[in-house]
Amino acid sequence: MHGRPRKDPKPEDAAASVAKAEKLRSLQSQFLSNHHNKIYTNEALEVNTKLLEVNPEYYTAWNFRKLAVEHRLSQSDSDPDSIKSIFSEELKVVESALKQNFKSYGAWHHRKWVLSKGHSSIDHEMRLLDRYQKLDPRNFHAWNYRRFVAALMNRSEVDELRYTTDMINSNFSNYSAWHNRSILLSNLLQRKVQGFFPKELVLNEEYELVHQALFTDPDDQSGWFYYLWLLDQTVKADAPLLVSSWPARDSLIILEDQCLDDRALSPFNTFHSDSGTFPLIVYFNQAVEGVNSSTISVESVLNANSELNWKPLSTNNSQTAQVWVTYLNYPKVDVHSEAYPVEVSIGHSGGIISSSGFHYSHPSRFAFKVFARPVKTPIGHGGEIISWQDGNFALYETSPEEPNPTISLDQLNSKDDNEKTSSEWRAETIANEIALFQELLSEISCKIGKLTLARLLKAHDTLLSPCANKMVYSEEVIKLYSDLRVLDPPHSQFYKDEHSLTLLQQITSTRESLLRYCFLHGDGTSSFIGNSMCLRLNNLSLSRMGSIERLLWVQMLDLSHNELRSIEGLEAMQLLSCLNLSNNKLSGFTALGPLRLLKLLKVLDISCNQIGSHSIDTTRYLCSSPLCHTEEMDWGRDETVTADVNLANYWEAFVIFRGLSLTQLDIAGNAVADEKLKSFLVKIVPTLKWLDGGELH
Amino acid sequence: MGELATEKHVQYILSVEKRKDDFISVAMEYLRMNGAYWGLTTLDLLGKLDAIDVDEVVSWIMKCQHESGGFGGNIGHDPHILYTLSAVQVLALFDKLNVLDVEKVTNYIAGLQNEDGSFSGDEWGEVDTRFSYIAICCLSILHHLNKINVEKAVSYIVSCKNLDGGFGCTPGGESHAGQIFCCVGALAITGSLHHIDKDLLGWWLCERQVKAGGLNGRPEKLPDVCYSWWVLSSLIMIDRVHWISKEKLVKFILDCQDTENGGISDRPDDAVDVYHTYFGVAGLSLLEYPGLKAIDPAYALPVDVVNKIFFGR
Ligand SMILES: [Zn+2]
């Protein structure tokens, strides 16, 4: 029931209701009896018509009508007039039902069913719709029906687009019309229909139209989402692009066969692994499928005889991902060995496709060199505990000749500028829009104005310097998000997340800014992390992680003392071996899903979070599990381990930790971390040596 | 703002079942199966399911089943996928799924899938993404998702995705919070949430919160308690629920209670009904209101019931 006032029924009303109920009950039972006995006489139909007039939601009655029509058609002598009259009778019943309830699914469907039989006038439907849609311009049943009728009569999309223009001009506040416009226009643009090409001219007009809506009443949401779509159309290229990789372009990577303590080497590009392989990571600007040894060719002596196996870094086991990884073999370890070149060519053969169906269309090539160094003195095997205390870190002092960790991150985009005019148009449009919204905000302070300006300024920065890493406006954007948190408190966490993303962009934008967060860990003897460089993004009140495409080189990461609820995207950091997430707002084990893809992770601190304190798990469906059919629960090999626990309570811990080979875990300070859970974890993670600072035996 | 009037709501739900003479009760007879799901799930969330005679409910449900395997909204009414899900959900609440001829029910549902991957609601061919959700949810609960073409089902749902990040009934249909729940839920259950732009949809959904604290279902519409469920559950499944103010929403729902006679209405001071009582209580459960059982955002059943189905042994 919607919009019916709450009141105690007066005795006379109650009596009237009982009388009305009695009448309806009798109609319903007469109807059911007819239906069950397949009686389709005129009397039976009359009962049905009366019933639907009172109660159009009574779905079985609509089914009966369809059966009755079929019955009557089979009885009739196929005289076109009598067929026509059978169907026009149905349309009348629908009309009176809609009068009773304009939102009756059953009535609208019955009308569609009648129309699709092809015996009724379509023109009449268009006139009827015009009338209905004037009465209720937001009724989505009517809009759906309109699309159905337009398709049935082959009405042109241009005509339908004009209809949305009329609707919008008569009242800007009609989200339904804006929506239909976005559907029609994107079809017309995609097909490059005459009058809708080039795209730029069309979009200019659309900006004009939506400005009128936004500036007339900035608080009315009708134009907000349309504007965002236009902005997207302006800024985003359809085709997927490669944004970064590890090893990065033109880098020299030093692989260590064993642990090495040598300060002369730059920690930015040394990598250690026992496995005899190292990862090759490619990071796209959107999720793609079709990455394999034929779409990416890797030329190097290191994998001369084997076909590479590319794996999507997807937390739900899908074959689509933004980041893909493969593994190359270590070159021969020898003091006198040379640096081996590796050349990667992407997209020369086609086949890499975005989820929206666009092909990778910027074939590109990059190269790096790898060099394997033997150990001087083999030292420990990760026996000692890693401590994250401040005293163990010293700001990293870089030497001028050292490679820049960020340098290679951006030069990958071999941006061919064939579409010079289009990119000029983009820049010009964004600049115009920025000026317009600055003007609006000088007159009134409104949330959509500030939010749009923040989005425009970010768009400006990515458009103007996708490769140069300049963040011209980041300070202003951060200021806008801070303002918005005050202006619109219910959505403050939304703005805070945006704020965090901008901050991370700023931090990772240049070598200088990033170096402020790079620290050397320990006294240099920490033996089993590949190198002792730690990126410390702690205490920044980050509520969300981002800019990960620029952090692929990181092997030790401190994110402690932030406000992170999720670590979405961290799965791309394939080199990560030590991770500190303590003192954040992680509220469930399923939030750690990305860690399952980090095969090198050894040290994990998740102490002092909120795991176990919440009854509702917001990452329950973002983590691969039997609930979403992305994997089976295989307790099998752990039968003895799991025999005495309630699996319904421990499945999250099981799913997350079973595949990790952690040696050190800190979990104290979470509601879930009782002795029982800890002993469970010790059993399912046999590699574990340290738990909450204590050594396991 | 008061507290949740648990006892009153329990009494209200029990009384609705007994009330049979007024006009609204008669007019709603056709969807009694949905009513049973709303009322009984609410009782379970409130911890009062033991007030119900299980055998009586189960035998009534089975009387609503058809030859075809589908369930009607009441005894003698035609089968429809809408009521089939409610029947399965209620049986799951009582841990009585074993009374079902699972092959028969799942064949009925699988038989409603169309060539393009979409689902019809019944033999009369109405297509809607609501039915996609229902089919997927129901088959998953019964461990028979392999009876349908999941890949096609997912790609049909994706074809209903709009440029605002939301979903409509059919391709081109306007985004609507109820429809978004269905599509996000179906994608969640099939492990396909990567098809969603979580930030875009999350912004659209969080902007459903109006100044008064309640949630609406589409831009520029009035807030309504039932959207507490549709919007919240969707926000939770894509991990963006922190983008709204939970406190304000709790207050809005509590303000819609009839503290005298029990029940919750769409807006403050409107007439209560079981539908909004369920969505109000389920919304509060998603908001972690103290004293309520947790509800699963995708299967719309208490978490313990869902966990038992998927992790029990
Ligand atoms: Zn409602």
Side-chain angles (χ1 to χ4, degrees):
Chain A
M1 288 300 120
H2 287 111
R4 207 163 39 92
R6 184 186 303 169
K7 56 171 192 236
D8 287 332
K10 293 182 203 126
E12 61 265 33
D13 291 345
S17 167
V18 170
K20 242 171 93 190
E22 199 41 59
K23 228 169 148 185
L24 179 60
R25 189 195 306 281
S26 131
L27 277 176
Q28 289 181 175
S29 64
Q30 281 180 67
F31 159 73
L32 281 177
S33 148
N34 290 334
H35 183 41
H36 296 151
N37 296 305
K38 301 190 168 59
I39 298 171
Y40 305 116
T41 58
N42 285 340
E43 293 73 31
L45 271 166
E46 215 165 286
V47 168
N48 177 289
T49 307
K50 273 191 198 151
L51 169 56
L52 285 172
E53 260 168 34
V54 190
N55 195 1
E57 290 302 287
Y58 202 93
Y59 69 100
T60 304
W62 291 112
N63 298 346
F64 173 87
R65 291 205 78 85
K66 297 187 186 73
L67 289 167
V69 167
E70 285 176 354
H71 174 80
R72 292 169 75 190
L73 287 177
S74 71
Q75 304 280 302
S76 83
D77 44 10
S78 65
D79 155 42
D81 281 344
S82 66
I83 293 178
K84 223 173 167 164
S85 86
I86 289 175
F87 282 109
S88 67
E89 175 64 27
E90 294 307 303
L91 294 180
K92 263 187 235 148
V93 176
V94 170
E95 264 171 75
S96 70
L98 288 179
K99 242 176 246 164
Q100 174 70 22
N101 180 6
F102 206 17
K103 297 173 178 171
S104 165
Y105 282 96
W108 285 106
H109 177 63
H110 195 66
R111 198 165 189 95
K112 265 190 178 178
W113 182 83
V114 169
L115 258 288
S116 59
K117 297 288 175 193
H119 297 285
S120 318
S121 147
I122 299 183
D123 294 337
H124 173 71
E125 296 307 293
M126 237 21 192
R127 283 194 298 274
L128 187 80
L129 270 170
D130 284 344
R131 216 172 66 226
Y132 280 177
Q133 292 191 278
K134 273 208 184 78
L135 287 173
D136 183 0
R138 294 292 309 279
N139 186 295
F140 70 82
H141 298 274
W143 280 99
N144 286 346
Y145 188 64
R146 184 179 187 94
R147 272 184 294 272
F148 166 80
V149 172
L152 207 60
M153 66 190 286
N154 274 323
R155 198 170 135 94
S156 82
E157 288 182 315
V158 179
D159 287 343
E160 281 298 281
L161 189 74
R162 199 170 301 127
Y163 178 72
T164 68
T165 315
D166 295 345
M167 290 292 266
I168 289 167
N169 282 335
S170 74
N171 183 1
F172 290 129
S173 181
N174 186 341
Y175 189 83
S176 308
W178 287 106
H179 157 76
N180 211 35
R181 189 174 186 83
S182 74
I183 297 274
L184 293 162
L185 195 64
S186 60
N187 283 343
L188 291 165
L189 287 174
Q190 201 174 6
R191 298 207 318 269
K192 300 189 175 165
V193 170
Q194 200 192 355
F196 295 85
F197 185 81
K199 182 173 157 183
E200 288 78 9
L201 288 178
V202 184
L203 294 186
N204 281 343
E205 283 178 30
E206 295 304 305
Y207 272 113
E208 297 260 316
L209 186 65
V210 78
H211 286 156
Q212 298 180 48
L214 288 178
F215 297 162
T216 307
D217 181 2
D219 288 333
D220 188 296
Q221 297 189 350
S222 308
W224 292 11
F225 302 89
Y226 195 79
Y227 186 90
L228 184 59
W229 174 66
L230 283 184
L231 181 56
D232 222 45
Q233 291 290 301
T234 309
V235 180
K236 269 193 196 151
D238 294 329
L241 282 172
L242 188 66
V243 289
S244 73
S245 70
W246 193 91
R249 178 181 188 156
D250 297 334
S251 60
L252 172 70
I253 298 299
I254 296 153
L255 304 170
E256 297 179 339
D257 182 47
Q258 280 283 359
C259 322
L260 186 66
D261 172 33
D262 188 346
R263 290 290 179 88
L265 294 172
S266 164
F268 286 123
N269 55 0
T270 53
F271 170 72
H272 157 77
S273 168
D274 298 324
S275 63
T277 61
F278 66 97
L280 167 57
I281 311 164
V282 289
Y283 200 119
F284 296 89
N285 67 340
Q286 53 185 302
V288 295
E289 57 181 47
V291 171
N292 53 46
S293 57
S294 65
T295 51
I296 298 192
S297 85
V298 178
E299 278 175 51
S300 140
V301 294
L302 305 179
N303 60 307
N305 304 320
S306 57
E307 198 155 275
L308 290 175
N309 185 19
W310 286 91
K311 186 180 167 223
L313 291 175
S314 144
T315 48
N316 67 351
N317 288 341
S318 93
Q319 284 304 306
T320 319
Q322 206 177 340
V323 195
W324 291 71
V325 68
T326 190
Y327 290 88
L328 300 179
N329 294 323
Y330 262 44
K332 223 170 109 196
V333 181
D334 179 350
V335 203
H336 308 293
S337 77
E338 62 216 284
Y340 292 89
V342 179
E343 196 170 290
V344 183
S345 311
I346 300 189
H348 290 271
S349 69
I352 298 177
I353 307 169
S354 75
S355 358
S356 34
F358 292 97
H359 286 258
Y360 186 89
S361 58
H362 293 264
S364 49
R365 203 182 291 272
F366 69 94
F368 58 89
K369 286 181 180 169
V370 291
F371 176 60
R373 291 268 305 245
V375 253
K376 279 190 248 159
T377 41
I379 38 173
H381 292 283
E384 66 269 44
I385 190 164
I386 301 287
S387 159
W388 294 94
Q389 277 171 9
D390 281 342
N392 285 332
F393 291 99
L395 191 64
Y396 183 65
E397 308 272 356
T398 176
S399 55
E401 67 269 22
E402 207 178 313
N404 180 349
T406 65
I407 194 161
S408 42
L409 306 173
D410 325 286
Q411 296 179 348
L412 272 164
N413 278 340
S414 55
K415 197 179 158 215
D416 69 77
D417 245 343
N418 294 339
E419 308 149 354
K420 192 114 207 246
T421 50
S422 139
S423 80
E424 268 168 19
W425 171 79
R426 285 176 180 165
E428 197 183 314
T429 305
I430 297 298
N432 284 342
E433 292 298 307
I434 289 175
L436 267 174
F437 276 86
Q438 278 167 339
E439 198 185 310
L440 173 72
L441 288 170
S442 71
E443 285 160 22
I444 45 161
S445 165
C446 60
K447 124 181 176 184
I448 194 63
K450 284 184 186 267
L451 180 57
T452 306
L453 183 58
R455 285 170 168 163
L456 285 165
L457 295 175
K458 280 180 97 164
H460 170 274
D461 280 0
T462 27
L463 260 192
L464 244 60
S465 51
C467 305
N469 255 354
K470 272 187 213 134
M471 295 287 293
V472 187
Y473 284 124
S474 58
E475 283 302 332
E476 196 176 339
V477 173
I478 285 175
K479 166 89 172 54
L480 283 166
Y481 284 125
S482 306
D483 290 356
L484 281 163
R485 296 191 65 190
V486 179
L487 199 62
D488 181 19
H491 299 113
S492 82
Q493 287 298 322
F494 167 67
Y495 305 118
K496 182 158 177 89
D497 283 359
E498 291 293 322
H499 181 286
S500 299
L501 293 178
T502 313
L503 184 65
L504 284 163
Q505 263 180 343
Q506 195 184 35
I507 288 172
T508 58
S509 64
T510 64
R511 171 187 161 91
E512 289 67 36
S513 60
L514 190 58
L515 280 173
R516 270 177 245 140
Y517 300 88
C518 292
F519 289 77
L520 282 180
H521 176 258
D523 50 10
T525 60
S526 39
S527 52
F528 83 112
I529 12 175
N531 66 52
S532 47
M533 168 76 84
C534 178
L535 181 68
R536 301 195 76 197
L537 299 172
N538 55 333
N539 263 314
L540 293 171
S541 53
L542 296 174
S543 59
R544 187 170 172 181
M545 196 48 198
S547 295
I548 289 171
E549 72 277 11
R550 296 179 180 181
L551 302 174
L552 300 181
W553 52 274
V554 176
Q555 297 167 53
M556 187 174 191
L557 177 63
D558 184 357
L559 287 170
S560 65
H561 296 274
N562 280 302
E563 296 166 34
L564 296 172
R565 297 158 194 278
S566 114
I567 52 167
E568 204 180 333
L570 224 65
E571 66 275 9
M573 298 178 76
Q574 289 288 302
L575 274 57
L576 213 55
S577 65
C578 300
L579 175 62
N580 187 353
L581 289 167
S582 69
N583 291 283
N584 275 288
K585 291 186 173 172
L586 300 170
S587 67
F589 282 128
T590 53
L592 301 175
L595 301 186
R596 299 176 67 194
L597 294 158
L598 301 181
K599 294 302 171 200
L600 300 176
L601 191 66
K602 295 271 186 282
V603 175
L604 176 65
D605 188 343
I606 48 170
S607 60
C608 301
N609 275 279
Q610 301 171 2
I611 303 173
S613 313
H614 290 271
S615 57
I616 298 295
D617 180 3
T618 59
T619 37
R620 187 170 163 93
Y621 287 95
L622 294 175
C623 174
S624 177
S625 86
L627 285 171
C628 44
H629 302 275
T630 43
E631 62 189 64
E632 304 273 318
M633 207 68 177
D634 175 23
W635 301 99
R637 69 154 220 234
D638 304 280
E639 201 67 60
T640 51
V641 173
T642 57
D644 56 342
V645 294
N646 180 355
L647 299 179
N649 296 334
Y650 276 63
W651 68 270
E652 293 106 325
F654 185 77
V655 159
I656 296 298
F657 287 98
R658 186 184 43 164
L660 298 180
S661 0
L662 297 178
T663 56
Q664 180 179 331
L665 174 66
D666 287 90
I667 195 174
N670 288 287
V672 75
D674 57 11
E675 287 310 314
K676 209 170 160 202
L677 175 81
K678 285 200 217 168
S679 72
F680 178 69
L681 288 177
V682 170
K683 284 183 202 156
I684 59 169
V685 190
T687 46
L688 212 54
K689 283 182 184 153
W690 300 91
L691 181 60
D692 285 335
E695 191 163 9
L696 300 168
H697 298 289
Chain B
M1 172 175 69
E3 296 196 336
L4 183 67
T6 302
E7 221 18 77
K8 297 270 185 194
H9 298 321
V10 172
Q11 290 316 314
Y12 167 72
I13 288 165
L14 295 175
S15 76
V16 169
E17 254 317 291
K18 288 178 201 121
R19 199 182 313 155
K20 293 213 162 97
D21 293 333
D22 63 310
F23 178 72
I24 287 169
S25 309
V26 177
M28 305 286 262
E29 266 174 19
Y30 75 92
L31 51 60
R32 191 161 177 243
M33 188 66 80
N34 290 155
Y37 161 73
W38 297 324
L40 295 169
T41 308
T42 309
L43 286 183
D44 198 10
L45 295 176
L46 295 170
K48 294 286 158 59
L49 197 56
D50 47 15
I52 296 295
D53 180 343
V54 180
D55 294 338
E56 196 186 329
V57 176
V58 171
S59 87
W60 172 76
I61 288 178
M62 296 314 287
K63 280 185 200 140
C64 298
Q65 191 176 22
H66 267 250
E67 252 331 281
S68 60
F71 288 78
N74 207 330
I75 298 171
H77 292 237
D78 285 357
H80 195 285
I81 200 168
L82 276 166
Y83 310 106
T84 306
L85 175 64
S86 286
V88 168
Q89 282 172 319
V90 173
L91 293 173
L93 276 183
F94 290 121
D95 198 11
K96 287 282 183 192
L97 289 171
N98 57 340
V99 306
L100 284 177
D101 180 344
V102 172
E103 286 303 320
K104 206 170 166 183
V105 180
T106 53
N107 283 342
Y108 171 77
I109 297 167
L112 292 171
Q113 188 170 31
N114 301 308
E115 198 36 54
D116 63 357
S118 67
F119 282 83
S120 300
D122 62 14
E123 59 176 310
W124 297 106
E126 183 184 3
V127 169
D128 192 307
T129 45
R130 285 180 301 149
F131 308 146
S132 299
Y133 163 75
I134 289 173
I136 285 168
C137 182
C138 213
L139 290 174
S140 175
I141 290 173
L142 298 173
H143 299 294
H144 275 71
L145 206 49
N146 55 358
K147 277 207 174 161
I148 57 165
N149 186 331
V150 173
E151 200 180 318
K152 274 190 169 183
V154 167
S155 75
Y156 181 77
I157 293 169
V158 172
S159 77
C160 297
K161 185 164 68 170
N162 290 318
L163 302 159
D164 55 21
F167 295 84
C169 309
T170 46
E174 181 182 346
S175 300
H176 175 287
Q179 224 71 41
I180 290 172
F181 160 78
C182 290
C183 295
V184 175
L187 294 177
I189 293 172
T190 53
S192 314
L193 287 176
H194 58 278
H195 290 292
I196 291 178
D197 182 337
K198 299 199 281 289
D199 289 333
L200 179 61
L201 177 58
W203 182 53
W204 191 93
L205 286 168
C206 81
E207 283 296 344
R208 296 309 101 238
Q209 186 160 42
V210 303
K211 289 217 170 68
L215 301 169
N216 61 19
R218 290 190 283 159
E220 301 303 317
K221 290 279 188 179
L222 291 172
D224 180 335
V225 159
C226 58
Y227 293 112
S228 310
W229 169 266
W230 309 119
V231 175
L232 267 180
S233 57
S234 306
L235 279 170
I236 287 170
M237 287 187 274
I238 61 169
D239 195 18
R240 296 292 182 274
V241 73
H242 56 288
W243 285 358
I244 61 161
S245 163
K246 292 187 176 186
E247 296 72 30
K248 287 188 122 187
L249 181 55
V250 168
K251 182 181 179 320
F252 177 79
I253 297 174
L254 293 178
D255 284 346
C256 292
Q257 298 180 100
D258 182 339
T259 47
E260 226 168 281
N261 303 308
I264 300 176
S265 52
D266 57 347
R267 281 184 276 284
D269 302 320
D270 274 359
V272 303
D273 57 61
V274 184
Y275 174 84
H276 287 95
T277 306
Y278 161 67
F279 286 115
V281 171
L284 289 173
S285 164
L286 291 177
L287 293 162
E288 305 187 318
Y289 190 87
L292 294 176
K293 268 173 92 167
I295 189 163
D296 181 286
Y299 291 96
L301 284 169
V303 168
D304 62 343
V305 172
V306 174
N307 282 359
K308 188 155 194 234
I309 291 171
F310 292 96
F311 304 108
R313 64 171 176 192

